[in-house]
Amino acid sequence: MNAPNTMAQLLQMPTGADTDPLETQEWRDAFSALLAAGGAERARFMLDELARLARALRIGWKPELATPYANTIAVEQQPVFPGDLAVEERLASLMRWNALAMVVRANLAYGELGGHIASYASAADLFEVGFNHFFHARDDRHRGDLVFFQPHSAPGVYARAFLEGRLGEADLLHYRQEIVASDAGARGLSSYPHPWLMPDFWQFPTGSMGIGPISSIYHARFMRYLTHRSLLDCAGRKVWGVFGDGEMDEPESMSALTLAAREKLDNLVWVVNCNLQRLDGPVRGNGRIIDELEQLFAGAGWNVIKLVWGSDWDCLFARDQQGALLRAFAHTVDGQMQTFAAKDGRYNREHFFGQDEALQRLAQGMTDEQIDRLRRGGHDLVKIHAAYAAAAAHRGQPTVVLAHTKKGYGMGTAGQGRMTTHSQKKLDETDLIAFRNRFDLPLTDEQATSLAFHKPAEGSPEMVYLRERRAALGGFLPRRETACDTPPVPTLSNYAQFALEAEGKEMSTTMAFVRLLGQLLKDPQLGPRIVPIVADEARTFGMANLFKQVGIYSSVGQRYAPEDIGSVLSYREALDGQILEEGISEAGAIASWTAAATSYSVHGLAMLPFYIYYSMFGFQRVGDAIWAAADQRARGFLLGATSGRTTLGGEGLQHQDGSSHLVAATIPNCKAYDPAFAGEMAVIVDAGMREMLVEQQDVFYYVTLMNENYAQPSLPQGAEQGVVRGGYRFGVYGPQDGPLVTLMGSGAILTEVIKAAEQLATEGIGSEVLSVTSWSELARETGRATLAQLMAGQGPVVAASDYVRAVPESLRAGVPASRRYVTLGTDGFGRSDTRSALRRYFGVDAQAIADAARAALQSGAVR
């Protein structure tokens, strides 16, 4: 039953043409009697039985997923509010003021800084109830909740940290001024939640819309994964996400809803701040976003709690015996609701309550000011607490709270509910005084107009209450911690000797990696911490042998006998399975990888994820999510398999990757490698594990792998350091007393470079071959010394890769001016053909490399 409505109100809701009202009333009376006699559980059972009968008889009926525009939690179902309501309301008002003052002051001083007021104004109460009653920090009794904060509301979180004493006034004065803050002895505050910029404060980056929602789902699932594998008990912990209704338009926000329901993630609670407004205007001007989201989430299997109207409306619903309010709401679209938010009480009396006589009677006796102050549910602490309590207690499903709010709440004519409110960053003196009055702030006129920050005295009831509530919940939030136990990394020769001493055996680097991974998984200390992740390509990458070895994680185990049960490579799902097989969802797989790659900070438990995928479906497809992982200081491996534009014969344009290394190079804490040989790959993986697990550096590795089989040489003696730094001298070919040329190559194209060197040697042209394991590492400032050593010779240089020419071109600035530098790459779109034809077409085969070397020798040293 949807409260605060009475049964009479619900019975008055329109249901279409009624050909026999008397019979209809008899059915209603019968159901009411059943409810009274048997209770809600019996009533639900009977409705389910009737629904099954209707389906069996094929009458073409199914229940609506949308419910009336009212609160899910009935007045009589609301728990007693456990806090001091007056103190919490005063605290919320202070948060609003300090957040507003911070943004407006910054823009008065520097008009280009930007910032947001209106989003937090709508979400302040949603945050405060969470902070005061639900959001657990990590302490010795509780491992801590995970909280994803709506990014445009960051000023409000800073405002709370100011009252808590974690930030000072000087810090607030340097909002969005991170560079100049240090000169003033202050801490600059980042625009949005950025763990990279504020590593001890923010835990999750949410500034890229849609990334936060999907990330929260996979973090909740990863907590179950840790529990089921007996690595960490995550029982009693929640993942809370506060997101915007406009943000729900992002495909990533919606893409994993069914996974959350299928996995029964009742440790997940979303709060969607439905202020009905995007950046430019209404979210659904001609519809109702709350109705739409209710149907979407309910259809996906979530528990939906609608938090629509505040306590001020309870008496109106109680007096409305004819259902006039619900009928009016049923026909009020969001665009009109936004207009009601922007206008005053007189306008709302005339245009909402003036729609019919029944509504007019409800408004009788109310002043215009009382009508103006009728709160939506997301601004009522009591209603919010009731919704959160129900969400936290619900079992068997994830829960979404759809909270109805006003964007710019309390900003009056300066911004409440207006089309321009998202960009509102300045208020005049009249607006500031009105805001002060609206929230009864303890500020003089001069303090209000000068935008003075306000912090109550240390022993005041507000400050005592603030600290007591957070102490009861484990301490301050948000807070990012990095202390963790880490497993030792085994000696390289223990698991990769086959790669280091390959002695000409033919294999692909993909196969070498899978073999190496299988060996690592057997290590008794590190093995359990490894998280293999695939997006439905395990068999493509030759990983099927791992199905039986470590199993595929499933929260319900395996309830079927797989078709290939007799095979040594049969599919095996298990509750304690180690592989995360995410289906055809690169967005889901990278979210899963991020959850594992940040486990060291989120859970205090270091995990090591290896996510292997078609390289074209990485940085191109989910590059924004990878950037967010970098912001979150992820530690793990991304493996771009079947990489390059010519190694993947036959597949064509949208599968052939020629640019991932170019994009990877733009991420400062991503170390990108394109090894040609298994030994190089093994050294890189070993170095990465030691850097991330032992040294605990906030980096992640991107390693490209090929599916092309060719002879794998043993790793040259002493090459390890060069491999990690980005390049080393692989070999010398032909006479060294005549014309000399340096040939550089990476990945599968290094084999073409070697063939070219051998061809030139038969013509009396000497060459040295440099194996470039990482173009980007050599191009960075830290790699300049290594590049200088590699470029110490004489003669022209020809650099070739399976990627666009911009990748080898990145080294040009580090090549001596005396040496001609020629780059070969695979610019343009990919094609479907054989490897040899593709390399000939793009000009990166041995013949093209040899031709480029001859031409460079003939043209001299001019660059």
Side-chain angles (χ1 to χ4, degrees):
M1 177 176 172
N2 283 49
N5 320 305
T6 64
M7 179 63 70
Q9 285 176 287
L10 292 175
L11 295 181
Q12 293 297 326
M13 292 296 292
T15 57
D18 190 345
T19 58
D20 192 340
L22 182 60
E23 182 185 32
T24 302
Q25 188 59 48
E26 291 175 351
W27 276 90
R28 287 174 172 169
D29 292 342
F31 185 75
S32 297
L34 173 67
L35 179 61
E41 185 174 351
R42 178 62 181 168
R44 286 194 297 269
F45 172 82
M46 189 56 66
L47 287 174
D48 288 339
E49 284 300 305
L50 290 173
R52 277 191 282 271
L53 179 61
R55 285 194 294 270
L57 296 176
R58 304 181 188 278
I59 66 171
W61 174 88
K62 58 183 178 181
E64 291 185 21
L65 293 176
T67 58
Y69 208 70
N71 293 342
T72 301
I73 309 298
V75 176
E76 60 270 18
Q77 294 172 331
Q78 290 177 193
V80 175
F81 188 74
D84 188 320
L85 188 59
V87 172
E88 290 195 28
E89 287 182 337
R90 290 200 297 273
L91 283 169
S93 296
L94 288 174
M95 308 299 180
R96 280 193 173 90
W97 171 257
N98 287 329
L100 177 148
M102 177 174 55
V103 175
V104 175
R105 287 182 72 146
N107 281 278
L108 287 175
Y110 309 98
E112 74 272 19
L113 286 178
H116 301 279
I117 303 170
S119 292
Y120 178 68
S122 67
D125 298 304
L126 300 174
F127 283 0
E128 283 305 299
V129 172
F131 278 124
N132 287 324
H133 301 283
F134 293 95
F135 299 163
H136 281 268
R138 189 192 306 179
D139 62 10
D140 55 4
R141 298 167 299 162
H142 194 285
R143 298 295 300 178
D145 291 337
L146 285 55
V147 186
F148 290 74
F149 292 98
Q150 190 177 11
H152 291 125
S153 295
V157 182
Y158 295 141
R160 168 170 264 270
F162 170 62
L163 292 195
E164 292 169 338
R166 296 199 290 156
L167 296 176
E169 186 169 318
D171 301 323
L172 299 195
L173 289 172
H174 287 86
Y175 171 63
R176 292 192 170 194
Q177 299 164 69
E178 299 169 81
I179 298 173
V180 301
S182 58
D183 295 336
R187 177 178 192 172
L189 304 181
S190 60
S191 54
Y192 306 119
H194 291 306
W196 188 265
L197 301 174
M198 298 180 69
D200 62 339
F201 192 89
W202 293 116
Q203 196 170 31
F204 303 107
T206 54
S208 184
M209 295 296 170
I211 302 298
I214 191 172
S215 183
S216 71
I217 291 174
Y218 280 88
H219 270 284
R221 203 277 296 267
F222 189 70
M223 288 164 67
R224 290 288 175 81
Y225 172 88
L226 291 176
T227 299
H228 288 155
R229 292 193 55 223
S230 300
L231 294 171
L232 188 70
D233 184 3
C234 294
R237 301 171 66 193
K238 294 283 186 183
V239 178
W240 295 84
V242 183
F243 309 116
D245 49 356
E247 187 175 3
M248 295 300 104
D249 283 343
E250 289 283 6
E252 293 89 352
S253 297
M254 299 287 102
S255 64
L257 294 187
T258 54
L259 176 138
R262 183 171 68 248
E263 298 285 315
K264 297 180 172 55
L265 298 180
D266 51 20
N267 60 342
L268 176 67
V269 179
W270 278 14
V271 180
V272 180
N273 177 21
C274 296
N275 57 35
L276 314 186
Q277 194 169 332
R278 292 185 295 224
L279 277 63
D280 293 330
V283 176
R284 293 289 184 274
N286 296 301
R288 287 193 300 277
I289 187 61
I290 290 180
D291 287 352
E292 181 180 320
L293 292 178
E294 179 184 21
Q295 294 177 68
L296 182 64
F297 280 93
W302 286 52
N303 174 45
V304 179
I305 297 175
K306 290 166 73 171
L307 173 60
V308 185
W309 305 114
S311 301
D312 311 327
W313 289 86
D314 288 347
C315 62
L316 295 177
F317 278 107
R319 289 163 46 204
D320 180 20
Q321 296 300 307
Q322 304 303 313
L325 282 172
L326 291 183
R327 284 197 300 273
F329 292 141
H331 296 96
T332 303
V333 295
D334 284 355
Q336 187 61 47
M337 197 72 76
Q338 181 191 3
T339 301
F340 291 146
K343 301 296 184 179
D344 59 14
R346 178 170 294 276
Y347 180 92
N348 282 279
R349 179 191 298 280
E350 294 175 359
H351 293 84
F352 179 75
F353 289 103
Q355 293 181 68
D356 58 43
E357 291 186 8
L359 290 173
Q360 290 173 9
R361 285 194 297 272
L362 288 176
Q364 285 178 350
M366 296 180 69
T367 66
D368 290 346
E369 184 180 7
Q370 286 174 321
I371 292 175
D372 188 48
R373 287 183 174 245
L374 285 171
R375 287 177 293 177
R376 296 180 181 178
H379 301 305
D380 187 316
L381 301 182
V382 174
K383 298 290 188 184
I384 297 169
H385 179 272
Y388 284 13
H394 188 75
R395 295 292 176 263
Q397 292 172 289
T399 294
V400 61
V401 177
L402 303 177
H404 195 24
T405 65
K406 292 180 181 180
K407 192 159 189 176
Y409 179 63
M411 293 172 64
T413 57
Q416 180 172 285
R418 297 187 176 275
M419 294 291 189
T420 57
T421 189
H422 187 80
S423 301
Q424 188 70 36
K425 300 169 182 65
K426 298 179 181 179
L427 287 83
D428 60 27
E429 291 187 359
T430 302
D431 296 327
L432 293 170
I433 294 294
F435 191 94
R436 187 272 312 269
N437 294 340
R438 171 68 180 79
F439 292 105
D440 194 23
L441 294 161
L443 301 169
T444 65
D445 287 358
E446 193 280 328
Q447 288 173 323
T449 55
S450 65
L451 294 162
F453 297 120
H454 183 77
K455 186 175 183 178
E458 193 59 37
S460 65
E462 292 84 1
M463 294 297 285
V464 171
Y465 187 88
L466 180 84
R467 296 181 186 281
E468 285 180 348
R469 291 310 308 147
R470 285 314 311 163
L473 291 168
F476 297 129
L477 279 178
R479 185 178 78 225
R480 182 176 178 275
E481 302 177 51
T482 57
C484 64
D485 294 330
T486 59
V489 176
T491 304
L492 178 60
S493 58
N494 285 352
Y495 62 89
Q497 196 65 30
F498 74 94
L500 300 175
E501 298 179 3
E503 298 180 346
K505 294 186 181 69
E506 284 207 356
M507 70 181 93
S508 69
T509 51
T510 298
M511 289 298 97
F513 165 74
V514 172
R515 183 175 173 183
L516 179 149
L517 180 63
Q519 291 295 104
L520 284 174
L521 286 166
K522 295 175 183 177
D523 185 83
Q525 293 178 294
L526 177 62
R529 305 289 188 97
I530 291 175
V531 185
I533 303 172
V534 289
D536 201 43
E537 293 284 2
R539 295 187 190 276
T540 300
F541 304 136
M543 297 175 65
N545 62 305
L546 298 181
F547 293 166
K548 278 197 171 181
Q549 180 180 336
V550 295
I552 299 163
Y553 171 70
S554 168
S555 62
V556 296
Q558 186 160 305
R559 298 173 171 175
Y560 62 93
E563 170 274 329
D564 58 354
I565 193 169
S567 167
V568 294
L569 303 179
S570 64
Y571 206 74
R572 184 175 77 87
E573 299 185 70
L575 184 65
D576 61 349
Q578 198 160 347
I579 301 170
L580 291 175
E581 209 282 352
E582 302 297 5
I584 305 176
S585 174
E586 287 83 7
I590 195 66
S592 223
W593 180 84
T594 301
T598 57
S599 177
Y600 74 95
S601 63
V602 175
H603 306 295
L605 179 74
M607 301 293 287
L608 188 65
F610 289 85
Y611 169 31
I612 185 169
Y613 56 90
Y614 263 55
S615 66
M616 191 64 161
F617 303 150
F619 285 88
Q620 172 174 295
R621 188 157 193 162
V622 292
D624 194 18
I626 296 174
W627 185 264
D631 188 352
Q632 201 176 330
R633 297 172 173 257
R635 301 174 185 172
F637 288 91
L638 297 175
L639 292 309
T642 59
S643 65
R645 187 151 281 166
T646 71
T647 60
L648 188 58
E651 291 282 8
L653 187 150
Q654 286 185 279
H655 280 64
Q656 293 173 344
D657 168 29
S659 57
S660 67
H661 274 283
L662 193 63
V663 182
T666 66
I667 301 179
N669 55 336
C670 174
K671 292 193 170 185
Y673 291 90
D674 186 35
F677 302 124
E680 296 174 349
M681 180 272 300
V683 167
I684 291 165
V685 170
D686 182 72
M689 291 193 297
R690 296 182 188 285
E691 187 170 13
M692 291 182 278
L693 291 178
V694 180
E695 300 171 24
Q696 297 192 30
Q697 296 297 308
D698 293 339
V699 297
F700 65 98
Y701 278 47
Y702 174 56
V703 185
T704 43
L705 305 172
M706 276 66 68
N707 67 334
E708 180 179 0
N709 290 317
Y710 46 75
Q712 299 283 340
S714 297
L715 188 71
Q717 190 72 26
E720 291 84 357
Q721 192 174 72
V723 169
V724 175
R725 290 181 176 178
Y728 66 97
R729 285 182 172 81
F730 177 78
V732 175
Y733 297 80
Q736 301 298 295
D737 54 355
L740 294 173
V741 63
T742 296
L743 305 180
M744 306 176 71
S746 70
I749 299 305
L750 181 60
T751 61
E752 299 295 325
V753 168
I754 294 170
K755 292 176 188 175
E758 292 170 344
Q759 181 178 328
L760 291 171
T762 64
E763 303 170 16
I765 299 174
S767 65
E768 65 169 352
V769 171
L770 305 182
S771 175
V772 178
T773 53
S774 176
W775 302 96
S776 56
E777 286 301 296
L778 290 177
R780 288 173 173 168
E781 191 65 34
T782 52
R784 290 298 174 88
T786 301
L787 181 59
Q789 292 174 2
L790 295 175
M791 292 290 103
Q794 302 294 320
V797 180
V798 177
S801 87
D802 214 10
Y803 300 88
V804 294
R805 287 182 59 239
V807 172
E809 277 290 326
S810 65
L811 301 188
R812 184 172 291 277
V815 177
S818 61
R819 306 195 69 179
R820 183 173 180 81
Y821 187 60
V822 180
T823 58
L824 305 178
T826 56
D827 290 11
F829 287 116
R831 297 288 192 278
S832 295
D833 217 306
T834 63
R835 291 191 184 107
S836 59
L838 289 168
R839 289 170 183 163
R840 177 75 280 187
Y841 173 82
F842 284 109
V844 292
D845 63 354
Q847 186 61 50
I849 295 167
D851 290 345
R854 295 189 199 94
L857 284 168
Q858 292 172 3
S859 61
V862 180
R863 301 187 80 195

